Amino acid sequence: MIHIAPSILAADFSRLGEQVRETEAAGAQRVHVDVMDGHFVPNLSMGPVVVEGLRPRTALPLEVHLMVEAPARFIPAFLKAGADSVIFHLEVVPQPGALIADVRGRNKKVGLAINPDMPVEAFEPFLGDIDLALCMTVFPGFGGQAFIAESPERIRRLRALIERHNPACELEVDGGIDHDTAVAAVRAGANVLVAGTSVFKYPQGPAAAVREMKRLVG
């Protein structure tokens, strides 16, 4: 099954709970929370208080993507606030075994992410230990960017590695995912689609955006 993960970075924060509930009713399967520290990426975004506020508002899993230099400092607070999974970057934790084990020891799911300039083969030693591999399809830091054209080939290579080492591992893509690129990403092997601008800025509203994306990707 293909999962749609609306990224609340693009939501109207004055109506955040309402908009998340709209996407849930339309069939979204999780909520993606982008966390930026102004160091690993040139922007700042939300903290654990946002997860804490959303937790009673939705039954969907809350997935926290840590685009930060020191994820180990942030993970306990986000899990305490109600996150169901955390994703951190191999660029800042090149030996992630201890942190993966720590998250799993808290009975939460854990994922690894890489930026477009890192080879997907960097995932290979860790695929047996994680729940999700996130292949960025833009350079992180800002919403609304265009999907990098070379991404489908990277997704295909990562899918082959996952099938070899841990077929249960999800392959998530994030960046420039809209109603056209979602189809290309799924054809290449992605099964979780993070979509922000294309969902929350959709002219007919976020619920219509989720329903249309689900229709297109089957």
Side-chain angles (χ1 to χ4, degrees), residues 104-189:
R104 284 193 171 281
R106 299 170 189 261
N107 295 314
K108 301 291 186 175
K109 292 185 175 182
V110 62
L112 293 176
I114 60 169
N115 287 343
D117 56 355
M118 179 176 276
V120 297
E121 289 74 18
F123 280 117
E124 193 164 11
F126 315 110
L127 287 174
D129 300 319
I130 60 175
D131 300 289
L132 179 146
L134 170 53
C135 183
M136 292 298 300
T137 46
V138 301
F139 283 92
F142 299 93
Q145 298 184 66
F147 183 82
I148 294 174
E150 294 78 16
S151 297
E153 175 56 30
R154 287 169 53 79
I155 296 165
R156 278 189 286 271
R157 297 205 320 268
L158 179 53
R159 170 52 63 191
L161 291 172
I162 287 173
E163 292 303 315
R164 187 183 311 159
H165 294 285
N166 180 12
C169 180
E170 295 181 305
L171 197 170
E172 182 170 276
V173 290
D174 181 1
I177 301 299
D178 58 25
H179 294 85
D180 295 319
T181 59
V183 175
V186 168
R187 285 176 177 165

Side-chain angles (χ1 to χ4, degrees), residues 15-16 22-23 30 38 56 62 64 114 154 172 175 208:
R15 301 175 52 239
L16 181 57
E22 288 176 18
T23 65
R30 67 187 75 183
L62 300 178
V64 173
I114 60 169
R154 287 169 53 79
E172 182 170 276

Side-chain angles (χ1 to χ4, degrees), residues 32-46:
H32 190 84
V33 181
D34 284 309
V35 177
M36 307 179 194
D37 64 355
H39 297 285
F40 180 62
V41 294
N43 206 346
L44 289 168
S45 68
M46 59 209 84

